[in-house]
Amino acid sequence: LRVGCMLEGVSVEAFGDPAVKRAKRAVLSACQFKPREKMFIRSHLVEKIMEACLQGGKFDIRFGFLFLVTYVFMLRLPSEALPMVRGSDGLHDHGLSKSTLFMEDGELCLKLQCRKNKPWGSTLRRSCWCNGGPSKLCPVHVIWEKFVKDCSIGYPLFRDITPNLARNTLKGYLDTL
């Protein structure tokens, strides 16, 4: 930062201040931080959640489908998965919905108004995952056929679920499993 200031002809007097020296020491001591191991939710965990949800009990099927849709399309749960609505079959223009799920040419499609750091949005497509037999995570046969198909067009699929509720439910499900 000092070199950048010198190159731009900006005063570097502030770098001699005792507060800056204390801050530098604090940053150096913080470098001792050991981050925890990254924990990823893989397909086998999503499968276990879906199995538990389909069996009933204390697992809610809506959360199972929320986590499955998030996994299948690699979504940001609060901003992309939760506002999802059911779209009409094969229709590309879904109005002002942030995220719309529909079928087109045998593929499950998700139209997003904006996608992560891509402000103009995108349409994601997932075909059937049942290559050698039925898949418990198949976008077409599980998400569309068992959850979305019978919903009315424009229906918000996860309307009563908040980001905090989803996160806490996922933690609870993973603890139980």
Side-chain angles (χ1 to χ4, degrees), residues 77-157:
L77 189 137
S79 62
E80 296 172 342
L82 287 179
M84 190 177 296
V85 300
R86 191 237 198 248
S88 60
D89 302 351
L91 182 63
H92 290 284
D93 182 19
H94 296 285
L96 300 176
S97 301
K98 284 186 172 186
S99 135
T100 307
L101 200 59
F102 62 98
M103 279 295 285
E104 182 177 69
D105 299 326
E107 293 182 314
L108 185 62
C109 302
L110 178 66
K111 174 133 175 74
L112 297 164
Q113 273 190 341
C114 58
R115 173 78 171 143
K116 297 186 178 177
N117 293 324
K118 187 176 168 185
W120 50 89
S122 57
T123 301
L124 307 173
R125 299 174 172 278
R126 298 294 183 265
S127 57
C128 177
W129 291 3
C130 301
N131 292 338
S135 168
K136 296 174 184 174
L137 305 179
C138 178
V140 174
H141 295 107
V142 177
I143 296 173
W144 182 258
E145 295 292 330
K146 292 184 180 178
F147 183 63
V148 182
K149 183 179 180 180
D150 294 329
C151 296
S152 59
I153 295 171
Y155 180 79
L157 300 174

Side-chain angles (χ1 to χ4, degrees), residues 32-49:
Q32 307 301 320
F33 175 72
K34 301 278 190 248
R36 68 174 167 77
E37 182 182 327
K38 298 249 185 225
M39 297 181 288
F40 296 101
I41 296 178
R42 307 238 186 249
S43 62
H44 70 279
L45 283 174
V46 179
E47 255 184 56
K48 285 183 179 181
I49 290 172

